[in-house]
Amino acid sequence: MLATAEAGIYKNRRHLRLRRRARLRRFFLRGKGENEGKVRVRPELADVVQFATVNLLHEDWPAVRNFAPQLDVVFCRNVMIYFDKPTQHKVLARIARALAPGGVCFFVGHSENFTDCRDTFELRGKTVYQRRP
């Protein structure tokens, strides 16, 4: 999945679910010739997005260390449900430290809820949290 995301090439525009064509043109280039029917993330967007695999249970996150606390967005969907509450709190504290102050978003799965971490994160949507400043 990370390799697909890093490549930024998608087979079908319909999978992107961008309802407005202006957004599609703003963020993607349309494939031509043998790439007909595919879209590619524009280079100026791809250049500011980085992907990394992180073992949430390790104390040190080398893949994140160079960017923290500058991460704007963290996607961690349907993972935390497998940890007990104390481990969740440790991992959430690390994620909070990696996010830029007021970090844009921390996305989780629909079955995950961190209402007991209100001192660290503020709920911004059903599955979206924002780091408190």
Side-chain angles (χ1 to χ4, degrees), residues 61-80:
W61 294 349
V64 175
R65 184 183 325 126
N66 296 334
F67 310 113
Q70 300 303 316
L71 300 180
D72 294 313
V73 180
V74 173
F75 292 90
C76 188
R77 295 178 54 92
N78 303 318
V79 174
M80 301 294 278

Side-chain angles (χ1 to χ4, degrees), residues 106-129:
F106 167 46
F107 291 87
V108 300
H110 290 283
S111 60
E112 297 169 308
N113 183 325
F114 305 113
T115 54
D116 57 337
C117 293
R118 291 182 188 172
D119 57 326
T120 308
F121 290 101
E122 179 181 356
L123 186 62
R124 304 302 275 172
K126 290 182 181 180
T127 61
V128 179
Y129 290 83

Side-chain angles (χ1 to χ4, degrees), residues 4-87:
T4 299
E6 280 183 326
I9 299 172
Y10 300 93
K11 293 181 182 177
N12 189 331
R13 298 187 317 195
R14 288 178 286 171
H15 292 293
L16 298 174
R17 299 180 191 201
L18 295 175
R19 289 179 170 61
R20 294 190 306 197
R21 289 180 192 226
R23 274 196 186 160
L24 188 62
R25 284 191 301 273
R26 180 176 171 199
F27 298 119
F28 296 91
L29 300 169
R30 190 180 328 179
K32 296 178 182 173
E34 66 183 43
N35 292 316
E36 185 73 34
K38 296 179 183 178
V39 293
R40 179 179 182 169
V41 174
R42 288 187 172 273
E44 58 271 22
L45 178 58
D47 288 347
V48 296
V49 176
Q50 298 191 3
F51 298 90
T53 301
V54 174
N55 183 330
L56 297 174
L57 297 179
H58 285 181
E59 293 293 322
D60 187 27
W61 294 349
V64 175
R65 184 183 325 126
N66 296 334
F67 310 113
Q70 300 303 316
L71 300 180
D72 294 313
V73 180
V74 173
F75 292 90
C76 188
R77 295 178 54 92
N78 303 318
V79 174
M80 301 294 278
I81 57 175
Y82 297 102
F83 300 144
D84 60 20
K85 287 291 182 192
T87 304

